[in-house]
Amino acid sequence: MTPLVVLNVVGLTPRLAAHAPRLSALGGIAPWRSPLPAVTCTSQATMLTGTAPREHGIVGNGWYYRDTAEVRFWQQSHALIQRRCFYEDFDTAKMFWWFNGSAPVQASCTPKPHYGSDGSKAFDVYDRTGCDLTDRLGPFPFFSFWGPHAGLPSSRWIAEASALVIRQRQPQLTLVYLPHLDYDHQRSSDPPISLVTEVDQCAAIVIDAATSIGAQVVAVSEYGLMPVDRPIHINQALRREGLLETRGGPFGSQLVPGDCRAFAVADHQLAHVYVKNPGDRESVRRIISDLPGVAAVVPAGDLELDHERAGDWIALAEPNSWFTYYFWGEGETPPDYAPTVDIHRKPGYDPVELFATSKLRAVARVAQKKLGFRYRMDVIPLDATLVGGSHGIHPADPMDGPVIIGPGQLPETMTEFPRYAVGRLNA
C-alpha cells in the first residue's frame, strides 16, 4: 500500500493552478463537478462518501432542524454524515477537514475553543494527533482562520502541523485543509495572483513531508469563487410579505423559525427555503422568483438535495449575486450578534464577517477585555455590498470551478473520488 496525502486547497481552480508550480507538478490538472450547493460541508461529504447530498444528508454548511425549530451552521459531529466515509478503512490523519468531531480516524486536529460558564471563550484546537502540535508550533492563529484578520498564518500553521503528523505518524491516508484562497476571493472581485503563490508555498511544506515518507499527493478543491456585486436579502422580502416572524427584546430582533410561514437559510449563492404550510408554497416560490438576482427556484429533487434536512424550495442566485441571512425589517434593531463574528448563532452564512468597521473600534473592544470589563466585539459592518466574491452554484466555465490535480485517470465528479483515492492507495 502506498500512503496518500489529499490536499484540499480551497478556492483553487484549473485557471489559478497555472500559478501554483508545486501543486501543478503533482500530475494531471482537470476540472471536476461538485454537488450543489458548491460549499465546504456538502462538497467534502460528497468527496468522502462518493454519494449525493440526498444520500449523505449534508445539504449545506447549515440547515433548519425541524424537530428543534433551530437553524444550525458549522456543526462538527461526524455522525451528521449519513453514509460511510472511505477513509474509515485506512489509518487516517484528518487535519482540519470538516466533520472532525468524534470522527473514526486515528489522528485529527480541528479548531475548537473552550467555553467557560461565565460566557468566556478561550481559543484552541482539539489535537488528537499525539504530536503536541501547539507545544511545538505555538498556539493556532485562530483569528487568521476566520474573521476580519483571516489570512495566511492559519494555512501556514495547518501545513506545518500536517507535515509534523505525516513525518511522525506516517499515516496511510492524510487529509489536509488549506483555506487561504477563500478569504480575499470573498473580500474582492479581483484578488491578487500572489495569493496563489502563498498557498502553493504552504502546499509545498506538506508535499515535502509526503515525499519524505514515500507518499503520493493529490490536490483537490471544493469550489471556485466568482465575482459578485449584488446581495439578495431574501428573508427581508419574506418579512415584507408577512411570512417571517421575529421577536423583539433586549438583544435586538430575533428570528423565530418555528413560527415563520416561510424563511430562508442563506448559504452563499444557494438558499434553502422552508415553508410551513403546503398551501403557501407556490406563492412563496413566486415571491422569491421575482427578486432581482434570483436565477431559479426549484424543488430540492432537481438538484439531488431531496433529503429531510433540505428546504421545500431551493433558490439559486445569478452568477453575480448571493443570498444574505439578514431578516430584520425596516425600523427593527438588528440582533446583537449581527455586527460580531458569530458563525453558530447566525441563521445563515455571513461573509461580511471578513470585514471590520474600524481598527480603532476593535482596539477599544480588546482593551475592554484586557481590563476585565464586559465587552462585545461588535466590529463587523452591516453592509453586504462589501462582499466581492461568492460560490455555491456551478460556474459557466469549468476552468473557474473546482479542480483535481494528481496522477492517473482523474475523476470527473466528486462522487467518483473514493474510487480514485482507494485506487491510488492500493497502487
Side-chain angles (χ1 to χ4, degrees):
M1 181 172 289
T2 305
L4 176 66
V5 175
V6 181
L7 271 170
N8 184 350
V9 186
V10 181
L12 189 67
T13 66
R15 196 181 308 279
L16 293 176
H19 303 279
R22 291 301 301 275
L23 286 165
S24 296
L26 295 175
I29 302 174
W32 66 338
R33 192 167 179 84
S34 72
L36 290 178
V39 298
T40 292
C41 293
T42 307
S43 291
Q44 286 192 18
T46 301
M47 281 188 236
L48 296 175
T49 66
T51 62
R54 61 166 47 125
E55 297 171 78
H56 60 61
I58 307 303
V59 298
N61 290 324
W63 54 84
Y64 178 50
Y65 288 71
R66 291 179 170 91
D67 50 351
T68 60
E70 297 173 294
V71 177
R72 298 182 213 159
F73 262 67
W74 303 112
Q75 301 295 293
Q76 272 279 20
S77 173
H78 180 270
L80 290 168
I81 303 177
Q82 297 179 340
R83 290 292 183 273
R84 183 177 176 83
C85 295
F86 80 88
Y87 59 65
E88 298 180 48
D89 296 324
F90 301 95
D91 174 16
T92 299
K94 193 176 180 187
M95 303 297 292
F96 283 75
W97 279 54
W98 218 254
F99 302 112
N100 229 351
S102 303
V105 295
Q106 287 64 50
S108 66
C109 187
T110 199
K112 191 173 182 64
H114 305 276
Y115 296 93
S117 62
D118 62 353
S120 60
K121 179 165 61 175
F123 294 102
D124 199 1
V125 294
Y126 185 27
D127 179 5
R128 295 178 59 244
T129 65
C131 297
D132 302 316
L133 296 176
T134 56
D135 290 342
R136 297 166 71 175
L137 299 174
F140 176 65
F142 218 100
F143 291 104
S144 101
F145 189 62
W146 184 249
H149 298 294
L152 183 60
S154 60
S155 289
R156 185 183 294 121
W157 194 98
I158 295 170
E160 291 174 352
S162 300
L164 283 173
V165 172
I166 289 168
R167 287 190 167 100
Q168 181 170 323
R169 296 191 61 110
Q170 300 191 19
Q172 292 174 325
L173 174 65
T174 307
L175 306 173
V176 181
Y177 179 77
L178 298 178
H180 182 50
L181 291 182
D182 202 31
Y183 306 137
D184 282 348
H185 279 74
Q186 293 188 68
R187 292 185 179 115
S188 171
S189 60
D190 187 24
I193 289 296
S194 60
L195 297 171
V196 183
T197 302
E198 291 171 349
V199 81
D200 193 56
Q201 292 168 350
C202 290
I205 296 170
V206 181
I207 294 168
D208 289 344
T211 301
S212 73
I213 69 164
Q216 308 166 86
V217 183
V218 172
V220 300
S221 67
E222 306 158 351
Y223 47 76
L225 291 109
M226 58 190 75
V228 295
D229 56 18
R230 180 165 52 189
I232 307 167
H233 303 299
I234 185 171
N235 278 316
Q236 291 181 344
L238 294 171
R239 177 66 188 274
R240 288 192 296 270
E241 297 293 334
L243 296 166
L244 187 143
E245 290 292 328
T246 62
R247 178 194 181 196
F251 306 113
S253 178
Q254 304 291 330
L255 182 68
V256 187
D259 289 343
C260 292
R261 288 169 58 192
F263 72 98
V265 174
D267 200 354
H268 299 81
Q269 293 181 299
L270 182 147
H272 287 269
V273 183
Y274 297 88
V275 186
K276 192 170 188 178
N277 301 315
D280 288 332
R281 288 181 183 174
E282 189 56 34
S283 61
V284 168
R285 186 194 65 78
R286 287 196 299 269
I287 291 166
I288 296 173
S289 296
D290 288 342
L291 294 176
V294 173
V297 181
V298 301
D302 287 6
L303 307 176
E304 297 187 298
L305 281 168
D306 42 334
H307 186 276
E308 62 182 3
R309 295 169 175 168
D312 299 286
W313 293 112
I314 307 298
L316 300 170
E318 293 178 352
N320 71 324
S321 303
W322 63 281
F323 294 104
T324 76
Y325 81 94
Y326 298 173
F327 57 81
W328 49 92
E330 187 175 350
E332 280 188 308
T333 302
D336 67 343
Y337 57 70
T340 71
V341 176
D342 198 337
I343 64 171
H344 296 300
R345 281 205 294 172
K346 291 180 180 178
Y349 175 71
D350 186 12
V352 188
E353 290 184 347
L354 290 166
F355 300 86
T357 50
S358 72
K359 290 184 178 179
L360 182 61
R361 188 181 188 90
V363 168
R365 292 294 183 257
V366 171
Q368 285 180 281
K369 177 183 179 182
K370 290 182 176 180
L371 290 170
F373 294 106
R374 293 182 66 86
Y375 73 102
R376 186 163 58 94
M377 290 297 290
D378 52 348
V379 299
I380 305 303
L382 298 180
D383 181 4
T385 64
L386 293 170
V387 175
S390 191
H391 57 92
I393 60 175
H394 293 143
D397 188 341
M399 289 294 290
D400 297 317
V403 67
I404 180 167
I405 307 173
Q409 182 66 42
L410 298 174
E412 296 181 357
T413 70
M414 291 184 186
T415 54
E416 298 170 337
F417 186 66
R419 175 192 54 77
Y420 171 77
V422 171
R424 299 314 309 173
L425 282 158
N426 290 328

